[in-house]
Each structure stands twice: as C-alpha cells, then as structure tokens.
Amino acid sequence: MKTKHLYLPFLIAICVAIACGGNEDKKVTTPAVVVADPDDSVTSEAFDTALSAEFIDTFSTLAFSTYAKKQSTSFDWSRFRMEHSYSDSQLLVTNYKPHNRFYETYGRFIKYSPDSSMFIDMDSYHVGMQKNEKGQWQGTQLEADTEVSLVNLKTGKKTRILFGGPEVSVEDALWLDKENFAIMGIENQDSVGRVAAIWKFNIPTNTFFVYELRDSTVARRLTGYWRKERLKGIMIN
C-alpha cells in the first residue's frame, strides 16, 4: 500500500475559521503530514518531527554514535528532524549472484536482518578488497559513486536502495526490526550545504523517511567514518 501525502485543505479552512474568529489578516499554516492507510505497515510520521526516544536509544548503541559524539560535542540524535518522505516503486532489482569470495571479502561488513534472511551491502559496489602478499587486506576505491543494496537471500534478488555521487557518503547502517532499517550518512543540500542524514526505509512499501541534522560543521567531522572506523583494518588506496 502506498503512503499518501494529504494536505487536508478542508481541515485547514476549519482551523483558520475557529482560530481566527473571522480575522482574515491572521494566517495559520499546517505542516504536511505523511499518513499511512490503516492496513499499511508504515508508522505515520509528521514533518519536522524528531526521532522517537526508542530510535534514539537504538542509534546510541552504535559505534558510529560514540565516534560522532567524540568528533563533535554538538552532535545529538535528538537534533535530527524529518525533512521529507517518499515511496519509490521503481527501485532497481536484479538477480543476486555474488562472486566466489564475496562472503570472505565483505561478510564481516554486511548487516544482516534479525532473521538473517536479508542483508545490507554498503561497500562492494565502490570498494574492491583483496589480500596482499603478506596476507593483509587492501582496499581500492572502485567508484566515486556510492551504492547501498538490500539482498534478499530467500528470493535471490538484490534491490538498489540508495545511489549517490561523490557528494554522498554512506557511513553506517542498522536494522530497526525485520521490516525497517536505517542508513546514516552525509549528503549535500543546495540550500544549506553539507548535512548529516538518516534514510529510514520500510521494506514492504519501499518508503523512505529522511531525517537531517542541518549542521555543516557536524557533517564535515563525521564524513569518512566508514573509511576510518567501519572498515578499519582495510588499507584503502
């Protein structure tokens, strides 16, 4: 079921009439709200709302969270606000055929779902890895672009979830439950510059909820966590 954007024109008119008591000079604005159908599995979320306490507690368990707070004392999960949401029924889906050494190479970096039927792959598209003559893992950045994929081991399908150019940096990801996961990263917004972002994704509906922390200083200090910490031990050229 697709999430619907409802702007509620009649409700706005009623609110204006009640609140203003006929005063035509006073303006009332109502933020757009993403409202899911009753049988939809996406929780309704309003724009400009913060992450829930439950999600903050979950994010706070990440090594990325510890790193972020060390890099910037102004970093706080409660500062993120939902900026927009959208459903995408045209995500690229392909057959999943990993190369023979995929799991040996990337297995420790992929993120498995709670039941291990799916996993998130953040690295294989843009970072090649192999052992050198000393048995040490070395990495080569293959692409300036970044891709995050969701692999369904039951169906044998891979879905491209995110794809971005050099201005996008994917730092980490985690599962919230068996149907929802979040990707943390940095992107560039034309109006405000670099921002820290969370792409929260609902699998059954292909719906994204995008939260941002619009602080370019924080974003700059968090950029490159994936290289410095998440892939620590891999010498990347």
Side-chain angles (χ1 to χ4, degrees), residues 12-33:
I12 294 174
I14 293 172
C15 290
V16 171
I18 295 174
C20 299
N23 184 351
E24 297 180 356
D25 294 330
K26 186 176 181 180
K27 296 182 180 180
V28 177
T29 58
T30 302
V33 176

Side-chain angles (χ1 to χ4, degrees), residues 58-68 77 108-112 120-123 126 146-148 162 168-175 181-186 197-200 222-227 229-231:
T58 300
F59 290 139
S60 295
T61 65
L62 294 172
F64 174 74
S65 182
T66 302
Y67 175 86
W77 293 108
R108 53 186 158 153
F109 304 119
I110 59 182
K111 305 285 187 177
Y112 281 97
I120 304 164
D121 175 13
M122 294 176 279
D123 305 303
H126 72 111
T146 298
E147 177 185 275
V148 178
L162 285 181
V168 176
S169 178
V170 171
E171 308 298 342
D172 207 351
L174 84 161
W175 288 85
F181 61 85
I183 302 165
M184 285 74 72
I186 310 298
I198 299 170
W199 295 272
K200 192 150 71 78
L222 299 186
T223 301
Y225 166 83
W226 68 271
R227 180 191 292 263
E229 296 293 333
R230 189 168 58 77
L231 300 187

Side-chain angles (χ1 to χ4, degrees), residues 96 102-104 106-122 149-153 173-178 180-181 203:
Y96 176 63
F102 176 85
Y103 292 103
E104 176 189 356
Y106 298 101
R108 53 186 158 153
F109 304 119
I110 59 182
K111 305 285 187 177
Y112 281 97
S113 62
D115 64 358
S116 299
S117 66
M118 295 178 281
F119 66 76
I120 304 164
D121 175 13
M122 294 176 279
S149 295
L150 175 67
V151 173
N152 188 319
L153 296 172
L174 84 161
W175 288 85
L176 302 171
D177 53 49
K178 65 180 182 179
N180 298 275
F181 61 85
I203 298 171

Side-chain angles (χ1 to χ4, degrees), residues 130-169:
Q130 61 183 2
K131 287 184 178 180
N132 60 20
E133 64 277 3
K134 297 181 180 179
Q136 301 169 320
W137 283 100
Q138 288 186 317
T140 302
Q141 193 159 349
L142 304 174
E143 299 284 346
D145 298 331
T146 298
E147 177 185 275
V148 178
S149 295
L150 175 67
V151 173
N152 188 319
L153 296 172
K154 290 183 177 180
T155 63
K157 299 293 184 180
K158 180 175 79 169
T159 303
R160 175 186 280 179
I161 302 299
L162 285 181
F163 188 83
E167 73 280 359
V168 176
S169 178

